[in-house]
Short mmCIF file of all heavy atoms in Angstrom, two decimals:
data_model
loop_
_atom_site.label_atom_id
_atom_site.label_comp_id
_atom_site.label_asym_id
_atom_site.label_seq_id
_atom_site.Cartn_x
_atom_site.Cartn_y
_atom_site.Cartn_z
N SER N 990 6.83 -22.22 -4.00
CA SER N 990 7.13 -20.91 -4.58
C SER N 990 8.45 -20.41 -4.03
O SER N 990 8.63 -20.30 -2.83
CB SER N 990 6.02 -19.92 -4.21
OG SER N 990 6.51 -18.60 -4.24
N LYS N 991 9.37 -20.09 -4.92
CA LYS N 991 10.67 -19.60 -4.46
C LYS N 991 10.53 -18.29 -3.72
O LYS N 991 11.24 -18.03 -2.76
CB LYS N 991 11.62 -19.41 -5.65
CG LYS N 991 12.20 -20.68 -6.18
CD LYS N 991 13.62 -20.44 -6.70
CE LYS N 991 14.34 -21.72 -7.05
NZ LYS N 991 13.73 -22.48 -8.11
N SER N 992 9.61 -17.44 -4.19
CA SER N 992 9.45 -16.13 -3.58
C SER N 992 8.94 -16.24 -2.16
O SER N 992 9.47 -15.63 -1.25
CB SER N 992 8.48 -15.29 -4.40
OG SER N 992 8.98 -15.10 -5.69
N LEU N 993 7.89 -17.04 -1.97
CA LEU N 993 7.33 -17.17 -0.63
C LEU N 993 8.30 -17.92 0.28
O LEU N 993 8.33 -17.72 1.47
CB LEU N 993 5.99 -17.90 -0.68
CG LEU N 993 4.89 -17.13 -1.41
CD1 LEU N 993 3.61 -17.93 -1.44
CD2 LEU N 993 4.66 -15.79 -0.76
N ASP N 994 9.10 -18.76 -0.33
CA ASP N 994 10.11 -19.48 0.40
C ASP N 994 11.08 -18.52 1.08
O ASP N 994 11.62 -18.80 2.14
CB ASP N 994 10.87 -20.37 -0.59
CG ASP N 994 11.62 -21.47 0.11
OD1 ASP N 994 11.00 -22.20 0.88
OD2 ASP N 994 12.84 -21.58 -0.12
N LEU N 995 11.31 -17.37 0.45
CA LEU N 995 12.22 -16.39 1.03
C LEU N 995 11.67 -15.80 2.31
O LEU N 995 12.41 -15.35 3.16
CB LEU N 995 12.44 -15.23 0.03
CG LEU N 995 13.23 -15.57 -1.22
CD1 LEU N 995 13.13 -14.41 -2.20
CD2 LEU N 995 14.67 -15.83 -0.87
N VAL N 996 10.36 -15.82 2.45
CA VAL N 996 9.76 -15.23 3.64
C VAL N 996 9.64 -16.27 4.74
O VAL N 996 10.15 -16.11 5.83
CB VAL N 996 8.37 -14.65 3.32
CG1 VAL N 996 7.77 -14.03 4.54
CG2 VAL N 996 8.45 -13.65 2.20
N ILE N 997 8.94 -17.34 4.42
CA ILE N 997 8.82 -18.42 5.41
C ILE N 997 9.09 -19.72 4.70
O ILE N 997 8.35 -20.11 3.82
CB ILE N 997 7.41 -18.47 6.04
CG1 ILE N 997 7.13 -17.21 6.82
CG2 ILE N 997 7.28 -19.66 6.95
CD1 ILE N 997 5.85 -17.24 7.60
N SER N 998 10.15 -20.39 5.08
CA SER N 998 10.46 -21.64 4.41
C SER N 998 10.47 -22.81 5.38
O SER N 998 10.74 -23.93 4.99
CB SER N 998 11.83 -21.55 3.74
OG SER N 998 12.78 -21.21 4.73
N GLU N 999 10.20 -22.52 6.64
CA GLU N 999 10.28 -23.60 7.60
C GLU N 999 9.02 -23.71 8.40
O GLU N 999 8.34 -22.72 8.67
CB GLU N 999 11.42 -23.33 8.60
CG GLU N 999 12.77 -23.26 7.95
CD GLU N 999 13.83 -23.02 8.97
OE1 GLU N 999 14.07 -21.85 9.30
OE2 GLU N 999 14.39 -24.00 9.45
N ALA N 1000 8.73 -24.93 8.82
CA ALA N 1000 7.62 -25.15 9.73
C ALA N 1000 8.15 -24.85 11.12
O ALA N 1000 8.82 -25.68 11.73
CB ALA N 1000 7.15 -26.59 9.63
N LEU N 1001 7.86 -23.65 11.59
CA LEU N 1001 8.36 -23.29 12.91
C LEU N 1001 7.33 -23.65 13.97
O LEU N 1001 6.16 -23.37 13.82
CB LEU N 1001 8.65 -21.79 12.97
CG LEU N 1001 9.79 -21.32 12.07
CD1 LEU N 1001 9.85 -19.81 12.07
CD2 LEU N 1001 11.11 -21.90 12.55
N LEU N 1002 7.82 -24.23 15.03
CA LEU N 1002 6.94 -24.54 16.16
C LEU N 1002 6.97 -23.33 17.08
O LEU N 1002 8.02 -22.99 17.62
CB LEU N 1002 7.46 -25.78 16.88
CG LEU N 1002 6.70 -26.17 18.14
CD1 LEU N 1002 6.24 -27.59 18.03
CD2 LEU N 1002 7.55 -26.00 19.37
N GLU N 1003 5.82 -22.68 17.25
CA GLU N 1003 5.80 -21.49 18.10
C GLU N 1003 5.47 -21.89 19.52
O GLU N 1003 4.48 -22.57 19.77
CB GLU N 1003 4.76 -20.51 17.57
CG GLU N 1003 5.22 -19.84 16.29
CD GLU N 1003 4.16 -18.92 15.74
OE1 GLU N 1003 3.20 -19.44 15.15
OE2 GLU N 1003 4.27 -17.70 15.91
N ILE N 1004 6.31 -21.45 20.41
CA ILE N 1004 6.14 -21.82 21.82
C ILE N 1004 6.24 -20.58 22.68
O ILE N 1004 7.01 -19.66 22.39
CB ILE N 1004 7.19 -22.89 22.22
CG1 ILE N 1004 6.99 -23.35 23.66
CG2 ILE N 1004 8.61 -22.39 22.01
CD1 ILE N 1004 7.82 -24.56 24.04
N ASN N 1005 5.44 -20.54 23.73
CA ASN N 1005 5.41 -19.40 24.64
C ASN N 1005 6.76 -19.24 25.36
O ASN N 1005 7.45 -20.21 25.63
CB ASN N 1005 4.28 -19.65 25.66
CG ASN N 1005 4.23 -18.59 26.73
OD1 ASN N 1005 4.96 -18.69 27.73
ND2 ASN N 1005 3.41 -17.59 26.56
N GLU N 1006 7.09 -17.97 25.64
CA GLU N 1006 8.39 -17.68 26.27
C GLU N 1006 8.61 -18.45 27.56
O GLU N 1006 9.67 -19.03 27.78
CB GLU N 1006 8.47 -16.19 26.61
CG GLU N 1006 8.82 -15.31 25.44
CD GLU N 1006 8.92 -13.85 25.84
OE1 GLU N 1006 7.88 -13.26 26.18
OE2 GLU N 1006 10.02 -13.32 25.81
N GLU N 1007 7.58 -18.40 28.43
CA GLU N 1007 7.72 -19.07 29.74
C GLU N 1007 7.90 -20.57 29.55
O GLU N 1007 8.74 -21.20 30.17
CB GLU N 1007 6.47 -18.80 30.59
CG GLU N 1007 6.30 -17.36 31.01
CD GLU N 1007 7.51 -16.85 31.76
OE1 GLU N 1007 8.03 -17.59 32.63
OE2 GLU N 1007 7.97 -15.73 31.46
N ASP N 1008 7.06 -21.14 28.68
CA ASP N 1008 7.15 -22.57 28.43
C ASP N 1008 8.52 -22.93 27.89
O ASP N 1008 9.11 -23.95 28.26
CB ASP N 1008 6.08 -23.00 27.40
CG ASP N 1008 4.68 -22.98 28.01
OD1 ASP N 1008 4.57 -23.01 29.25
OD2 ASP N 1008 3.71 -22.94 27.23
N ALA N 1009 9.02 -22.09 26.98
CA ALA N 1009 10.33 -22.37 26.38
C ALA N 1009 11.40 -22.42 27.47
O ALA N 1009 12.26 -23.30 27.48
CB ALA N 1009 10.66 -21.30 25.35
N LYS N 1010 11.31 -21.48 28.38
CA LYS N 1010 12.30 -21.45 29.47
C LYS N 1010 12.23 -22.73 30.27
O LYS N 1010 13.25 -23.36 30.55
CB LYS N 1010 12.00 -20.25 30.40
CG LYS N 1010 12.83 -19.04 30.08
CD LYS N 1010 12.84 -18.04 31.24
CE LYS N 1010 12.67 -16.64 30.67
NZ LYS N 1010 11.61 -15.87 31.15
N LYS N 1011 11.01 -23.12 30.61
CA LYS N 1011 10.85 -24.32 31.45
C LYS N 1011 11.35 -25.56 30.73
O LYS N 1011 11.94 -26.45 31.35
CB LYS N 1011 9.36 -24.53 31.80
CG LYS N 1011 8.90 -23.67 32.95
CD LYS N 1011 7.57 -24.17 33.52
CE LYS N 1011 6.67 -22.98 33.83
NZ LYS N 1011 5.40 -23.04 33.13
#
Side-chain angles (χ1 to χ4, degrees):
Chain N
S990 155
K991 282 214 171 63
S992 299
L993 295 179
D994 199 54
L995 291 169
V996 181
I997 296 187
S998 56
E999 298 181 275
L1001 293 172
L1002 176 125
E1003 287 177 283
I1004 183 170
N1005 175 275
E1006 280 181 292
E1007 293 304 316
D1008 287 341
K1010 263 197 223 124
K1011 279 196 221 123

